[in-house]
Amino acid sequence: MSRIILFNVTGQDKPGLTSGITSIMAEHGLEILDIGQSVIHDTLTWGILVRLPDEDASDPVLKELLFHFHKMELQVRYQPVTEAQYEDWVQAQGKDRYIVTLLSRCVTAEQVARVSGITAAHGLNIDRITRLSGRVPLDQNSEDARACVEFSVRGTPEDLQQVRADFLQLSSEMDVDIGFQEDTIYRRTRRLVVFDMDSTLIEAEVIDELAVEAGVGEAVAAITEAAMRGELDFAGSFRKRLALLKGLDEAVLEKVAARLKLTEGAERLIGSLKLLGYKTAIVSGGFTYFAEYLQQRLGIDYIHANTLEIVDGKVTGEAKGRIVDACRKAELLRELAEKEQCRLEQVIAVGDGANDLEMLAVAGLGVAFRAKPLVKQSARQSISTLGLDGILYLLGWRDTDLDALHH
């Protein structure tokens, strides 16, 4: 009759530990049912679940393993596992799986305690905790730091919306970002990333910058803010703001483009996505002149925005063609997905305003970035604490992998 045993080993990490232990097991014909290892600050934690083909022959292999652990200065704890316990464990693999991503400038014990408390309250069991961010020097400026811990959890919560609401509330209370998403095959096979432009890829609203040059800055900024909060219809507010720019000299566009500031993390995110083979697009309610400028600067694959009408070197106060509003953004995202022959589940959308909500809802992963309250509450994921490159953590990428990619 066979026997199942679980070994838990801890100690100083060194080369050859796994090879030495499993070689002894191999000599006695053990079957490995599960295995896992992690190393934190050169300290190894190693677990292995094995089945011995003959229960009567378990004493010799246990004796030899325990002697080996002692010789290697490793601490070990082992315990028998019944067949019933093992079968219960096997059946648990059919439960739903989710990824909880904690993003912060500095991860604290309180943050982890609160996150894990919410998962427990909703019946979710944590299977694995992984640090995705790189090692941080003690003297690093916290304002520039990136910290991320990923939790792989399993279970079937009664109310997924309440789970998301609890994490959103915690995000607000502790000034952190918490992603909560299903762990599906699509999470690892995203192919297309669609960005809003103004206040997403760049820190400004271009129409406001143009308005400053035209001497109508305050009037246009007030309309813009109300539109982004969802208080005004985007298309109507856009025409109203655009009309105020009538007579603006065409040369001003180049002046404004030259002073545009990229959002924190934008270059690192776009550069990483390109190296990883993703396609990128700007779908914006702003203007093509500035989208083209960013396309050249960042290497964006596609752009869709509004075209300013210019006659005799002057802005007429009107736009050519159909205005890129909320509905049009969602349509363009679908068209780009079809063009790239990928499913909507493989598309990521990123935006900050109310006119981005339809686009965020259509995409497999919709991310509200430093968004207005209405947008943050409505989107499935949001990032406000870190820069745009925090999206890479939501995709499961480690800093070490990305650093190697760029070098």
Side-chain angles (χ1 to χ4, degrees):
M1 184 177 179
S2 64
R3 182 182 182 188
I4 301 173
I5 299 177
L6 173 64
F7 290 92
N8 289 288
V9 181
T10 60
Q12 190 72 18
D13 187 33
K14 60 190 74 171
L17 287 182
T18 300
S19 175
I21 297 168
T22 54
S23 292
I24 295 172
M25 293 178 172
E27 292 174 4
H28 294 271
L30 272 61
E31 178 185 357
I32 295 177
L33 301 175
D34 196 17
I35 186 170
Q37 173 182 311
S38 66
V39 177
I40 298 178
H41 198 63
D42 295 330
T43 299
L44 169 78
T45 301
W46 192 83
I48 187 166
L49 185 67
V50 299
R51 179 164 64 174
L52 290 77
D54 185 356
E55 184 175 7
D56 294 334
S58 62
D59 287 344
V61 66
L62 286 175
K63 182 177 179 180
E64 189 173 348
L65 283 169
L66 292 175
F67 176 78
H68 181 76
F69 291 138
H70 176 73
K71 182 177 70 173
M72 301 301 293
E73 299 180 324
L74 299 170
Q75 292 75 52
V76 61
R77 182 171 62 89
Y78 69 93
Q79 63 187 73
V81 175
T82 67
E83 290 188 1
Q85 290 172 325
Y86 179 77
E87 288 302 326
D88 286 343
W89 175 74
V90 170
Q91 292 302 316
Q93 69 184 338
K95 292 185 178 180
D96 296 331
R97 305 192 68 86
Y98 300 90
I99 296 293
V100 181
T101 312
L102 169 63
L103 305 98
S104 177
R105 294 295 180 182
C106 173
V107 173
T108 67
E110 183 182 4
Q111 292 167 1
V112 174
R114 296 285 298 277
V115 169
S116 56
I118 290 175
T119 62
H122 288 280
L124 293 167
N125 185 66
I126 299 174
D127 284 340
R128 186 179 68 255
I129 303 176
T130 306
R131 174 174 55 85
L132 299 184
S133 50
R135 298 175 183 177
V136 180
L138 294 177
D139 60 353
Q140 179 169 329
N141 187 339
S142 60
E143 293 181 359
D144 301 324
R146 296 187 305 268
C148 176
V149 176
E150 179 185 277
F151 302 77
S152 176
V153 301
R154 169 174 39 88
T156 307
E158 292 184 3
D159 188 345
L160 279 175
Q161 289 302 110
Q162 188 58 51
V163 179
R164 297 184 192 279
D166 289 350
F167 279 136
L168 182 63
Q169 177 65 30
L170 179 58
S171 296
S172 176
E173 291 176 7
M174 302 200 71
D175 194 25
V176 298
D177 296 315
I178 302 171
F180 179 69
Q181 55 185 309
E182 290 185 71
D183 188 10
T184 68
I185 188 173
Y186 297 115
R187 178 173 179 264
R188 294 176 290 278
T189 58
R190 312 286 189 194
R191 291 177 51 193
L192 171 66
V193 188
V194 178
F195 295 94
D196 173 46
M197 180 173 65
D198 297 34
S199 296
T200 300
L201 278 177
I202 55 176
E203 293 188 352
E205 291 286 335
V206 169
I207 197 167
D208 292 353
E209 296 296 310
L210 294 175
V212 169
E213 297 294 333
V216 291
E218 291 186 7
V220 168
I223 300 172
T224 299
E225 188 64 23
M228 291 300 101
R229 289 195 303 264
E231 297 171 5
L232 296 174
D233 167 71
F234 178 83
S237 67
F238 178 75
R239 292 188 180 93
K240 187 176 181 180
R241 287 174 290 168
L242 190 53
L244 292 173
L245 301 181
K246 184 177 180 179
L248 184 66
D249 195 286
E250 182 181 13
V252 172
L253 302 185
E254 183 177 356
K255 178 182 176 181
V256 170
R259 70 172 184 246
L260 292 179
K261 184 178 180 181
L262 291 174
T263 301
E264 176 193 357
E267 287 184 288
R268 181 172 182 265
L269 172 60
I270 300 295
S272 298
L273 292 173
K274 287 171 63 66
L275 290 172
L276 291 166
Y278 290 76
K279 293 292 185 178
T280 56
I282 291 175
V283 173
S284 171
F287 302 113
T288 54
Y289 181 94
F290 302 97
E292 289 171 353
Y293 171 82
L294 290 177
Q295 183 179 38
Q296 293 298 316
R297 183 173 177 180
L298 296 173
I300 303 290
D301 295 294
Y302 302 104
I303 61 165
H304 292 279
N306 298 301
T307 302
L308 274 171
E309 184 180 70
I310 297 174
V311 177
D312 297 329
K314 302 289 184 180
V315 173
T316 67
E318 297 183 4
K320 296 179 181 179
R322 181 177 173 185
I323 290 176
V324 181
D325 57 8
C327 179
R328 183 58 179 154
K329 283 191 172 190
E331 288 179 8
L332 288 167
L333 183 146
R334 289 189 175 94
E335 290 174 11
L336 288 167
E338 184 176 353
K339 182 179 180 67
E340 285 297 321
Q341 297 182 323
C342 62
R343 297 172 61 97
L344 290 174
E345 291 89 345
Q346 295 175 285
V347 180
I348 303 166
V350 189
D352 73 298
N355 63 319
D356 295 311
L357 279 173
E358 288 188 40
M359 179 173 76
L360 299 185
V362 168
L365 177 64
V367 182
F369 179 72
R370 297 182 182 176
K372 313 305 183 282
L374 170 67
V375 182
K376 190 172 182 179
Q377 292 170 12
S378 302
R380 284 166 291 174
Q381 313 296 332
S382 66
I383 293 179
S384 298
T385 305
L386 301 186
L388 267 178
D389 51 348
I391 291 171
L392 294 165
Y393 292 138
L394 295 181
L395 302 180
W397 291 103
R398 300 170 182 258
D399 279 350
T400 50
D401 296 330
L402 296 169
D403 291 342
L405 186 70
H406 284 277
H407 290 91

